[in-house]
Amino acid sequence: SNEILKRVVESYRRIRNTLRFLLANTSDFDIDRHAVPVESMVEIDRYAIALTARLQEEMAADYGRYQFHLVTQRLQTFCSEDLGAFYLDILKDRLYTAAPGSHARRSAQTALWHVTSSLVRLMAPILSFTAEELWQVFNGGKDQSVFLHTWHALPAVQDAPALMARWERMRTIRADIRKQLEELRTAGKIGSSLAAEVDFHADPELAAFLAGFGEDLRFVLLTSAARVHADGGGRVEVTPSTHAKCERCWHYRA
């Protein structure tokens, strides 16, 4: 039916838009000259590589069992939720406002290069024309075809299971904060989430966990401030910022 075709088109468009973002933000990146060693990368970038490694392992197993519907589902979920709604959403500020050759931006680009290198191969059997089109742009026409390659060799991430568990917990916390931000937006108290500040009143264990993210906490939450209070309050306060908006980075700062 037309309804089913519309859903398929929307799924494909979401994947293709993700690929456009990956291509655009690796266009000035050369893996041989600009790569950041995995152990020196920003933590969330290492998490993205570990997440991609898990996806590649699962999709390769699905292909081995000819479970193509699972391959499609995993690819769509990864592009829309893991990348679009989480990692790339957080990454935008760093990619667009950090100095072009800075460690922070190159770290992000290194992760994006590995993610793209893995995705283009994973989608080739089911999205052949799109994968080939992506491959030619991504490699600048230097390599013949994506179909002459095997799965991408992703770099090993130290303590990947612990890193994955740490960030899965953070994603759960972030999802709760995003709901409160949406309530503020609906009430007309903020526009962008960067117009808000977050105060965590937590028990010592949760406070230590959140404090471990340091300054990155506000970037992960996409707010202009994120403060942690180990007072056992067991609550989160999300409030509009009282500061002015920086025209360059859009954060609200004193």
Side-chain angles (χ1 to χ4, degrees):
S1 70
N2 284 333
E3 186 58 38
I4 291 174
L5 287 173
K6 281 180 187 175
R7 286 203 297 267
V8 173
V9 167
E10 188 54 41
S11 298
Y12 174 67
R13 185 177 289 121
R14 194 174 293 121
I15 292 171
R16 194 173 175 91
N17 286 343
T18 302
L19 301 178
R20 286 168 63 89
F21 183 93
L22 294 173
L23 281 179
N25 286 286
T26 52
S27 60
D28 66 336
F29 179 79
D30 185 328
I31 190 66
D32 296 322
R33 293 189 297 124
H34 303 137
V36 174
V38 176
E39 61 275 10
S40 302
M41 292 171 73
V42 176
E43 186 179 330
I44 194 173
D45 298 334
R46 286 189 280 121
Y47 169 64
I49 290 179
L51 205 58
T52 306
R54 184 177 70 181
L55 173 78
Q56 183 166 292
E57 185 179 335
E58 292 172 345
M59 286 181 65
D62 291 335
Y63 275 126
R65 294 188 298 268
Y66 301 99
Q67 299 287 312
F68 300 117
H69 66 291
L70 294 180
V71 169
T72 307
Q73 287 171 14
R74 290 191 201 280
L75 181 63
Q76 182 182 331
T77 301
F78 185 75
C79 287
S80 62
E81 296 180 18
D82 294 325
L83 291 182
F86 180 68
Y87 181 56
L88 302 184
D89 195 32
I90 294 168
L91 215 56
K92 287 173 186 170
D93 284 350
R94 184 158 32 121
L95 287 168
Y96 299 162
T97 64
S102 64
H103 176 272
R105 188 165 180 272
R106 292 306 190 199
S107 172
Q109 288 183 306
T110 303
L112 293 182
W113 187 90
H114 284 295
V115 170
T116 310
S117 297
S118 176
L119 278 183
V120 67
R121 292 162 166 86
L122 288 171
M123 68 173 60
I126 58 167
L127 286 171
S128 303
F129 292 101
T130 301
E132 189 66 21
E133 181 185 359
L134 173 64
W135 182 264
Q136 294 303 325
V137 177
F138 186 55
N139 285 284
K142 292 182 290 187
D143 224 331
Q144 289 174 298
S145 172
V146 67
F147 294 101
L148 298 176
H149 294 265
T150 53
W151 304 136
H152 179 56
L154 287 153
V157 177
Q158 191 174 11
D159 296 329
L163 183 70
M164 296 281 280
R166 171 176 161 85
W167 279 93
E168 291 303 324
R169 184 181 182 186
M170 171 48 70
R171 288 178 69 169
T172 301
I173 294 170
R174 182 180 187 267
D176 292 336
I177 299 300
R178 301 300 291 173
K179 288 177 185 174
Q180 294 190 51
L181 289 169
E182 190 55 41
E183 289 172 5
L184 279 181
R185 188 181 290 112
T186 303
K189 294 181 179 178
I190 62 170
S192 156
S193 65
L194 288 175
E197 299 183 356
V198 180
D199 282 275
F200 291 94
H201 297 272
D203 60 69
E205 188 277 330
L206 178 58
F209 172 77
L210 293 169
F213 288 89
E215 189 69 7
D216 286 340
L217 184 59
R218 67 184 177 93
F219 290 108
V220 170
L221 299 175
L222 290 181
T223 56
S224 286
R227 294 174 287 267
V228 181
H229 312 277
D231 55 13
R235 70 184 191 281
V236 181
E237 295 174 353
V238 182
T239 54
S241 176
T242 57
H243 300 302
K245 177 181 177 181
C246 169
E247 292 183 4
R248 182 174 180 276
C249 71
W250 292 12
H251 285 248
Y252 290 67
R253 309 290 282 166

